[in-house]
Amino acid sequence: MRIVIQRVTEASVTIEGTVKSAIGKGYLILLGVCEEDNEEDVDWLVKKVAGLRVFDDENGVMNRSIIDIGGEALVVSQFTLYASYKKGNRPSWLRAARHEISIPLYESFCQKLSSAIGREVGTGEFGADMKVSLLNDGPVTICMDSRNKE
């Protein structure tokens, strides 16, 4: 699994002119699933995201987690994180998982992250044409890949 985490002051997902989810301070997470991913990948990423200390403490040092600040999370499915761009100029999506693999893992990630941070996680809509809006805070943007744990 690959994720891009953006620390935000606000973020939202709009589908066909209607806001599906909106959050305040916290994380916008773009999540991609590949064919080899499983629940171990979900568990590892949830633990990393929940414990990631990128929010400022009273001294202005990034020393607090999303849990510490009572932050929110919005998770958007993003198969394009598995784009292969090595040949030519049109990306290939062959490494991205099919729906029967990616949807359950996406839903599991959202549910487990919600439990880990102690609040409902906002979502997009799998396969929909989504308009994602955010105000990146910092900016702080971190990429994680469960296949590259070191």
Side-chain angles (χ1 to χ4, degrees), residues 45-109:
L45 281 172
V46 166
K47 183 177 178 182
K48 282 300 212 184
V49 169
L52 189 65
R53 298 185 312 170
V54 296
F55 294 95
D56 290 348
D57 64 15
E58 62 280 352
N59 297 316
V61 176
M62 283 194 228
N63 202 28
R64 290 193 173 144
S65 71
I66 191 169
I67 297 167
D68 296 333
I69 65 149
E72 299 178 274
L74 173 57
V75 182
V76 177
S77 62
Q78 188 74 42
F79 76 94
T80 60
L81 291 177
Y82 278 98
S84 175
Y85 45 83
K86 296 194 188 237
K87 291 174 68 176
N89 292 319
R90 187 165 73 194
S92 166
W93 318 113
L94 291 176
R95 292 207 50 226
R98 297 167 311 212
H99 285 150
E100 57 268 19
I101 294 171
S102 55
I103 291 173
L105 290 175
Y106 168 79
E107 290 173 350
S108 177
F109 179 87

Side-chain angles (χ1 to χ4, degrees), residues 10-143:
E10 62 185 52
S12 64
V13 173
T14 301
I15 302 168
E16 295 182 6
T18 302
V19 175
K20 169 137 184 2
S21 296
I23 64 165
K25 187 173 186 156
Y27 293 142
L28 169 65
I29 300 172
L30 305 176
L31 181 141
V33 179
C34 76
E35 292 286 325
E36 297 83 28
D37 289 332
N38 57 47
E39 286 294 329
E40 289 180 20
D41 298 287
V42 170
D43 294 340
W44 185 81
L45 281 172
V46 166
K47 183 177 178 182
K48 282 300 212 184
V49 169
L52 189 65
R53 298 185 312 170
V54 296
F55 294 95
D56 290 348
D57 64 15
E58 62 280 352
N59 297 316
V61 176
M62 283 194 228
N63 202 28
R64 290 193 173 144
S65 71
I66 191 169
I67 297 167
D68 296 333
I69 65 149
E72 299 178 274
L74 173 57
V75 182
V76 177
S77 62
Q78 188 74 42
F79 76 94
T80 60
L81 291 177
Y82 278 98
S84 175
Y85 45 83
K86 296 194 188 237
K87 291 174 68 176
N89 292 319
R90 187 165 73 194
S92 166
W93 318 113
L94 291 176
R95 292 207 50 226
R98 297 167 311 212
H99 285 150
E100 57 268 19
I101 294 171
S102 55
I103 291 173
L105 290 175
Y106 168 79
E107 290 173 350
S108 177
F109 179 87
C110 292
Q111 183 273 319
K112 289 179 177 182
L113 183 60
S114 179
S115 293
I117 67 172
R119 62 187 318 154
E120 179 111 6
V121 168
T123 63
E125 184 177 310
F126 207 92
D129 180 21
M130 297 176 276
K131 307 302 179 206
V132 180
S133 177
L134 72 138
L135 184 55
N136 196 318
D137 182 17
V140 174
T141 302
I142 297 173
C143 301

